[in-house]
Amino acid sequence: MAAKALSFDVGDYVVYPKHGVGRVIELQNEEIAGMQLELYVLRFEKERMTLRVPTNKVESIGMRKLSSDKTLREAMETLKAKPKVKRTMWSRRAQEYEAKINSGDLVSIAEVTRDLFRADDQPEQSYSERQIFEAASSRLARELAAMEKTDEPTALAKILEILNEWAPKYYDVPEDKV
């Protein structure tokens, strides 16, 4: 059998695509339905949730280590880019945004955060837009916080600072010049 592609140690921060950043708190061996399984026990503090993931399912689930510095820089640059707003129905866009958030890909999450950001002087967002923005920005902030060894509010402040600095460059332009 080939060597394990991904292995995590107790104490490692990991990204579980559907839940974001968690921490490996234990490695367990359990017998479930007559089979011996090795499990990673993950703790997600924000959701107050514990998740057990079979070690042999890590790759198929898409669980990964924290992003590289290069990926983090790419995500931060994505926040500075021009927002892409499609003219499709909201329900369709909402599905696409949710899929990007749940992909666990840091750059995709940054795209959603950027595209749904509204400065204080811009028109109000709908409730569902705000919910998706908060989910994306929180997911991005948690990974940033884990990578920079800080807390989520500090990381979120850094993200919002970038967005507040760069977004006005794009919405000050008249519609016919875009």
Side-chain angles (χ1 to χ4, degrees), residues 16 19-22 42-51:
Y16 188 93
H19 301 294
V21 177
L42 308 178
R43 181 74 185 150
F44 297 88
E45 283 305 321
K46 183 165 183 159
E47 292 85 3
R48 292 188 175 95
M49 175 177 74
T50 302
L51 191 65

Side-chain angles (χ1 to χ4, degrees), residues 56-71:
N56 62 347
K57 296 284 186 197
V58 163
E59 216 169 310
S60 62
I61 290 168
M63 195 167 105
R64 62 175 173 79
K65 292 183 182 283
L66 292 175
S67 297
S68 65
D69 290 340
K70 179 181 182 277
T71 305

Side-chain angles (χ1 to χ4, degrees), residues 21-122:
V21 177
R23 192 171 213 164
V24 179
I25 58 168
E26 191 180 348
L27 199 55
Q28 285 182 343
N29 283 304
E30 278 190 32
E31 186 175 322
I32 300 173
M35 291 176 58
Q36 272 302 118
L37 284 179
E38 191 176 20
L39 305 166
Y40 288 116
V41 181
L42 308 178
R43 181 74 185 150
F44 297 88
E45 283 305 321
K46 183 165 183 159
E47 292 85 3
R48 292 188 175 95
M49 175 177 74
T50 302
L51 191 65
R52 287 171 174 72
V53 180
T55 55
N56 62 347
K57 296 284 186 197
V58 163
E59 216 169 310
S60 62
I61 290 168
M63 195 167 105
R64 62 175 173 79
K65 292 183 182 283
L66 292 175
S67 297
S68 65
D69 290 340
K70 179 181 182 277
T71 305
L72 178 62
R73 280 193 304 277
E74 192 178 331
M76 292 297 131
E77 287 302 312
T78 298
L79 294 176
K80 297 175 183 178
K82 184 176 198 269
K84 292 178 179 70
V85 180
K86 296 178 185 161
R87 299 284 176 223
T88 56
M89 288 177 47
W90 167 247
S91 60
R92 185 92 174 119
R93 281 186 291 148
Q95 282 180 328
E96 289 174 16
Y97 290 146
E98 292 286 351
K100 282 183 174 185
I101 293 169
N102 289 332
S103 73
D105 176 55
L106 199 62
V107 176
S108 294
I109 295 168
E111 286 173 8
V112 175
T113 303
R114 174 201 65 204
D115 293 350
L116 288 177
F117 173 73
R118 293 287 179 280
D120 295 336
D121 60 349
Q122 281 190 292

